[in-house]
Amino acid sequence: MAMKIDLRAPNWMPDDELRQELLSMMPEADIYTADDPGDADQVNMLVINRLTPGEHRLYPNLQVIQKTGAGVETILADTTLPASIEVTRLSTPAAAPEMAEYSLAYVLQEQRHLRLYQQQQKVGLWQEKKPRIASETCVGIMGLGRIGQVIAERFLLNDFKVCSWSRTQKQMAGVDCFSGEEGLRHALAKSDYVIVVLPVTPDTTELFSYPVFQHFKPGSHLINVGRGELVNEPDLMRALDEGLLAGAVLDVVSEEPLPSDNPLWMHPGVQISPHISGYHLGDAMQDIVENYRRLLAGEPRINVIDRQLGY
Ligand code: NDP
């Protein structure tokens, strides 16, 4: 029985660094890496950041694929992955509050017209614009899961009105919760800021396309911290050009890194950051140790993905 780490993300985290961290928590474990591949027959848990289609075939006794993040769409995209292989993700103890902070930063920037004042400073223009009041502003959170709930809490603490949209009907104190197709329209109609923190699934891929942008409140802003694939980017630019919404903040895009000639870079209504809203993993690596311990003990794993739902 062995775990294999194959992140292929040396700038973010070298495999051996993760191995040392995990060994400090479970010194008795057998942990292979790409550079120290061990015996593939022994591997029962694969720790990855990305999965190459068919890669599971290298490990005949593989039981669990553990993602070193929250989004598992690239793993589930492997149509050859047997149903018997469990897919698990990390919890987001550090990333969720960071994503709330990121969203709040952009919302406050708009509320207080800070981008406008930067432009005015460049030409020495002293001209005031009335700030928007938080308690009269509604933030709509698309996806009220682990991260969405933390974002909702942060906006409530800052006096904003908050509504949400999720697959199943939720209840959260202070949050106007919607679900289902009609619920999406209601949530969008109320929202001055639409924060997208959904997983990519067959139901949510390019959900934010032209017909949905037609339900955005005029003057509203989109903030996408979920995944680029949730948004149809040409439709977004068209909707911005037509004034269906006022601006978009994209921490994630459909092609990362975003090529330098992609029109999103130059669009005046779009602000882009390089997928950094949820940056730190915090204590989330303990989930890997816990899942490996559970696998060896024959206990149910934590953070298991529902393969049917896709998240
Ligand atoms: P969760 O699984 O905890 O929550 C997902 C939420 O989305 C739930 O509220 C769920 O509804 C809702 N949802 C799923 N499918 C639908 C649907 N078809 N219609 C409406 N709502 C739906 O995920 P997390 O909050 O932990 O993470 C969300 C995503 O954030 C991840 O999948 C990942 O892609 C992204 N992410 C981005 C990061 C970044 O740095 N930019 C960092 C970390 C994550 P219900 O509650 O009813 O199940």
Side-chain angles (χ1 to χ4, degrees):
M1 299 274 231
M3 174 195 296
K4 178 160 178 194
I5 301 168
D6 193 359
L7 301 183
R8 284 167 256 161
N11 293 334
W12 176 64
M13 181 165 313
D15 290 356
D16 203 52
E17 188 180 312
L18 178 56
R19 169 156 68 175
Q20 295 311 325
E21 189 176 338
L22 298 182
L23 280 173
S24 71
M25 292 184 262
M26 48 175 183
E28 72 293 346
D30 279 329
I31 306 183
Y32 307 147
T33 63
D35 289 338
D36 174 19
D39 179 358
D41 286 356
Q42 290 296 315
V43 174
N44 57 350
M45 181 163 163
L46 186 61
V47 179
I48 52 126
N49 196 37
R50 276 193 173 273
L51 187 74
T52 309
E55 190 178 343
H56 61 89
R57 294 200 181 99
L58 300 172
Y59 310 103
N61 296 309
L62 188 61
Q63 290 172 273
V64 176
I65 296 180
Q66 170 74 55
K67 168 82 194 267
T68 50
V72 295
E73 67 281 0
T74 55
I75 300 174
L76 302 189
D78 182 353
T79 52
T80 70
L81 197 64
S84 58
I85 296 182
E86 201 169 58
V87 178
T88 55
R89 53 165 279 184
L90 294 182
S91 52
T92 52
E98 282 182 327
M99 291 163 79
E101 194 175 276
Y102 175 98
S103 307
L104 188 64
Y106 276 102
V107 168
L108 293 180
Q109 170 191 259
E110 294 307 317
Q111 292 289 99
R112 304 306 307 239
H113 311 301
L114 302 184
R115 283 194 300 151
L116 173 71
Y117 297 134
Q118 277 175 10
Q119 294 307 318
Q120 290 187 184
Q121 184 168 354
K122 284 182 187 154
V123 292
L125 178 63
W126 180 281
Q127 186 172 286
E128 67 192 54
K129 186 171 176 184
K130 190 164 71 174
R132 297 186 65 172
I133 297 169
S135 61
E136 295 173 3
T137 304
C138 180
V139 175
I141 301 176
M142 307 294 114
L144 197 64
R146 279 170 254 215
I147 300 168
Q149 288 175 35
V150 175
I151 297 175
E153 280 163 13
R154 185 64 67 94
F155 277 96
L156 287 172
L157 274 175
N158 281 274
D159 239 9
F160 285 87
K161 288 193 260 189
V162 177
C163 70
S164 71
W165 181 68
S166 48
R167 189 179 56 83
T168 57
Q169 185 60 35
K170 297 276 174 260
Q171 286 194 334
M172 182 173 171
V175 179
D176 202 359
C177 297
F178 296 94
S179 60
E181 217 171 293
E182 210 183 314
L184 176 61
R185 287 196 289 276
H186 286 306
L188 294 177
K190 279 172 165 269
S191 299
D192 298 290
Y193 299 92
V194 175
I195 301 178
V196 178
V197 62
L198 292 160
V200 172
T201 70
D203 290 336
T204 62
T205 301
E206 298 204 353
L207 175 68
F208 292 88
S209 58
Y210 193 78
V212 167
F213 289 128
Q214 287 179 307
H215 294 285
F216 272 52
K217 194 172 165 180
S220 63
H221 294 254
L222 170 79
I223 300 178
N224 185 12
V225 290
R227 283 287 183 269
E229 290 80 357
L230 297 164
V231 174
N232 179 310
E233 291 161 352
D235 282 10
L236 169 64
M237 287 187 277
R238 178 181 167 202
L240 287 165
D241 292 341
E242 293 179 9
L244 298 181
L245 68 166
V249 173
L250 306 178
D251 182 50
V252 284
V253 285
S254 58
E255 187 180 356
E256 297 180 7
L258 187 65
S260 58
D261 60 351
N262 188 296
L264 279 173
W265 283 116
M266 298 307 291
H267 197 287
V270 176
Q271 296 175 78
I272 295 168
S273 59
H275 200 145
I276 43 68
S277 60
Y279 195 89
H280 292 99
L281 290 172
D283 292 336
M285 290 307 182
Q286 287 175 4
D287 295 357
I288 302 178
V289 174
E290 179 62 14
N291 267 344
Y292 196 57
R293 185 195 70 72
R294 286 170 177 242
L295 180 61
L296 296 184
E299 296 171 15
R301 266 64 68 187
I302 57 170
N303 302 327
V304 178
I305 299 302
D306 180 324
R307 297 271 300 269
Q308 292 305 314
L309 292 176
Y311 68 99

